[in-house]
Amino acid sequence: MKNKLTKNWGLKVVSFLFAASVWLIVTNINDPLAPLRLSDVPVTIRNKELITERGQTCEVLDNTDVIDLVTIYAPRSVIDSLDKGNVVAIADLKDLTSVDTVPIKLSTNKYNEKVENIKGNIDSVKLNIENKQTRSFPLRVNVTGEIREGYMLGDVGTEQNLIRISGPESIVSQISRAQAEVDISSFTGNINTETDIRLYDSEENAIESASLEKSITRVRVNVEILEKKVLPVNYVIGGTPAEGYRLTGETQCSKSNVTIAGKSSLIQNINAIEIPEGVIDVTGAEEDVITLVDLNEYLPEGTVLAEEDFTGKINITVYVGQEIRRTFLVPKERIHITGVPAGFEAEILEDEESQSSITLIGLASELQEIDTASLEVDLDIAAWMEREEREEAESGYFHIPLSVQLPADSAVVWDAPEVFVRISEKE
């Protein structure tokens, strides 16, 4: 038996090797090795806390956390059942090198033991590791676009007014401001919208980096759009000037029309800015009164001034003049006697000068307009009797005041003397 097993030993070995070769050939023919090429395979970076726990950040450089090309060699039957989702690419920060790179380990989550070879066109993730910085910035709103004519911006604000940003010190230190942007073109009503927050450096360059962490990325912005309206300034003059002085009737306002703005529904019913009585007071004045008025105090509620560089302060000047007296003589023949009761007659009994003096009181400018030569001077018996409550006429000698007929619109007053009059019954 032993001889049979050892007999022709060389031939048996050759036969075995031949059979194995045939088996391998047949196997490769039926299920040969084949390559599978996959692009843009993401790399999972593990144990980032090893960096963050020491107050640092890591940023992937040159997009090395994505492998452009991964090639897998495996039997055709395996290759046909694999895709990019089966590739596992791991970069573990426990393996961080002194030059801040992390080797990439490739495998598959399916048939890994049957994969002959797997490799990528890059074999490590490059990192930028630096100290982490956190800063807070006030949120600003940048309004863009042209507002429609007849409207203006009101209050502009955000629901949150602060943003906290963390990231690599080299990037965070460049940030100068954080702002939200809103386009107001064609709007005539208030705007309430949510918008992205943008970061800028001191030279107005936008800063964008995936390594930055923001406490908020979007914010709600409220923009008030107000309608403009031009209104007159109305005011009331109170008080009385000092004795011997009076208002000339002239006033001057440094700004008689003012543009305001407010909600359309509000300002459509507003027709003037009213300065109340008591603000402009000429009591006891002996010269022009100039009053500084701040219109902001008298704007209708819900409105604002809408003129650039106008603070709302105006001057209102009330002109005050001193009264003067002008006396002229009226000959007896220029005095018209009227209102003589029926059956009676009246006669002025004058001294040898046969004339009376009448004094006009007013401003110089007013008296200049009075032509004393054409003034009518009357002696009205009926008016005198009514004032004296005399119901019946009687004969006698009486002192009766004269009256002067001034122009209807004149502010001048007169001080006329009494004349001695004889009233008698007609014969």
Side-chain angles (χ1 to χ4, degrees), residues 188-206:
T188 59
N190 293 346
I191 304 172
N192 185 293
T193 186
E194 192 173 84
T195 184
D196 292 332
I197 298 172
R198 303 180 184 276
L199 306 177
Y200 294 89
D201 64 17
S202 59
E203 296 181 354
E204 301 300 316
N205 298 312

Side-chain angles (χ1 to χ4, degrees), residues 347-350 397-400 418-422:
E347 178 185 7
I348 299 174
L349 303 177
E350 289 290 344
Y397 295 89
F398 307 95
H399 286 92
I400 301 176
E418 294 181 342
V419 293
F420 196 45
V421 180
R422 181 179 65 189

Side-chain angles (χ1 to χ4, degrees), residues 358-376:
I358 294 178
T359 301
L360 298 181
I361 305 170
L363 300 174
S365 58
E366 297 170 337
L367 293 177
Q368 288 175 358
E369 297 177 359
I370 302 295
D371 181 8
T372 56
S374 62
L375 286 178
E376 294 185 4

